[in-house]
Amino acid sequence: IMDIKCPFNTKEDLIYNERVLEETCIHDQVYEYLFINSQNMSIPFPNFEQECDNLIQKLKSTNKKFITTRKVNDVPCTIDYNLSVVQIAKLSKNIKNIIAVNTGPLHLCMNKWTISNIKNFIIWSPAETFNYGLKFQTVRSLEELNENYIF
């Protein structure tokens, strides 16, 4: 009726490829894991705090170097370094494992540079499924994560 053409033909068309994301992050530390643990206020996450705490304890117990997006005690956080969502996306390009709540920083981390480098991209969403290929897995609860697969 309106003769509007959809700009997307494949899933890959949905992946961010803005040149600004190709630039280096202002924070140059390298991490094995990025835990995007900022709370999604649109979707209810049962046991959100407990599941976040449990995952952080698992990561700590394995001595993996990780960073979060919401401050939790003494854990390194993107807030500590004043990283914007764009800077978090730039940081994600050098991280092998991302575990993410479906919230703001997640979407910019789904860029072509991160995806080409990532080992595991776990999206925690109790209401939606993300299907961007073999490196992606959607879980409804962090308790679903298989420790052998992740750690």
Side-chain angles (χ1 to χ4, degrees), residues 39-124:
Q39 179 127 22
N40 179 319
M41 302 309 284
S42 304
I43 302 169
F45 281 72
N47 306 313
F48 182 82
E49 293 298 334
Q50 185 63 53
E51 289 197 46
C52 286
D53 290 346
N54 289 348
L55 180 62
I56 287 170
Q57 290 311 312
K58 285 179 186 177
L59 289 168
K60 281 183 166 182
S61 73
T62 60
N63 294 316
K64 301 293 185 189
K65 191 168 181 184
F66 69 98
I67 189 167
T68 64
T69 58
R70 182 175 57 102
K71 191 66 182 164
V72 178
N73 302 323
D74 61 340
V75 174
C77 180
T78 57
I79 294 169
D80 298 337
Y81 307 101
N82 296 315
L83 300 185
S84 67
V85 291
V86 171
Q87 288 296 325
I88 294 168
K90 291 176 183 181
L91 178 71
S92 75
K93 296 182 305 185
N94 297 316
I95 294 176
K96 292 293 182 191
N97 301 282
I98 297 175
I99 302 170
V101 170
N102 179 12
T103 190
L106 160 71
H107 301 285
L108 285 180
C109 289
M110 294 170 72
N111 64 69
K112 73 178 191 177
W113 299 278
T114 298
I115 291 172
S116 66
N117 190 47
I118 198 89
K119 179 181 172 192
N120 296 303
F121 204 128
I122 308 299
I123 303 168
W124 177 20

